[in-house]
Amino acid sequence: QVQLVESGGGLVQPGGSLRLSCAASISIFSIDVMSWYRQAPGKEREWVASVETAGTPNYADSVKGRFTISRDNAENTVHLEINSLKREDTAVYYCKTIYLGWPYWGKGTLVTVSL
């Protein structure tokens, strides 16, 4: 069983920044990929970014250049730095991993971009 707890969401103005964090209940050192997804109101959940064990990131085209994913294996934490926020970034952001063949999701953290 793996628990993932996201934090760092909130209300931010367009153009602002946020740093989301995902804390895992187990060591993530041996977990190949940690990912962030998001689900906007009325839309399906979509993949945002992933980071491999050694730190290699991958991003959805919609967030390239604005989002930065990183992982701290010693702290069992994954971060998502979000810059130049747009209204369309408003969503619940979820952390996800696959461990021993099973997918695990956090409960999400809400990011609202508004004046």
Side-chain angles (χ1 to χ4, degrees):
Q1 189 80 8
V2 178
Q3 292 184 333
L4 301 172
V5 180
E6 302 92 337
S7 62
L11 174 63
V12 62
Q13 294 184 355
S17 299
L18 279 176
R19 188 182 194 225
L20 308 183
S21 297
C22 169
S25 61
I26 64 168
S27 171
I28 66 170
F29 184 80
S30 60
I31 295 180
D32 289 339
V33 180
M34 300 290 296
S35 301
W36 284 95
Y37 285 70
R38 68 183 179 184
Q39 187 166 17
K43 295 188 177 181
E44 293 187 353
R45 193 171 298 188
E46 64 173 354
W47 170 72
V48 172
S50 294
V51 61
E52 299 175 9
T53 305
T56 303
N58 289 285
Y59 301 99
D61 288 342
S62 59
V63 306
K64 277 181 183 176
R66 298 191 299 121
F67 288 22
T68 302
I69 189 171
S70 61
R71 62 191 286 168
D72 186 335
N73 292 333
E75 296 293 329
N76 301 323
T77 302
V78 180
H79 301 288
L80 186 68
E81 192 87 27
I82 309 176
N83 298 308
S84 303
L85 276 157
K86 306 175 182 180
R87 285 186 172 84
E88 52 264 41
D89 294 320
T90 294
V92 178
Y93 285 72
Y94 298 91
C95 184
K96 181 203 173 182
T97 192
I98 295 177
Y99 181 67
L100 299 180
W102 292 95
Y104 292 93
W105 295 86
K107 293 184 178 181
T109 185
L110 176 63
V111 172
T112 304
V113 184
S114 180
L115 292 173

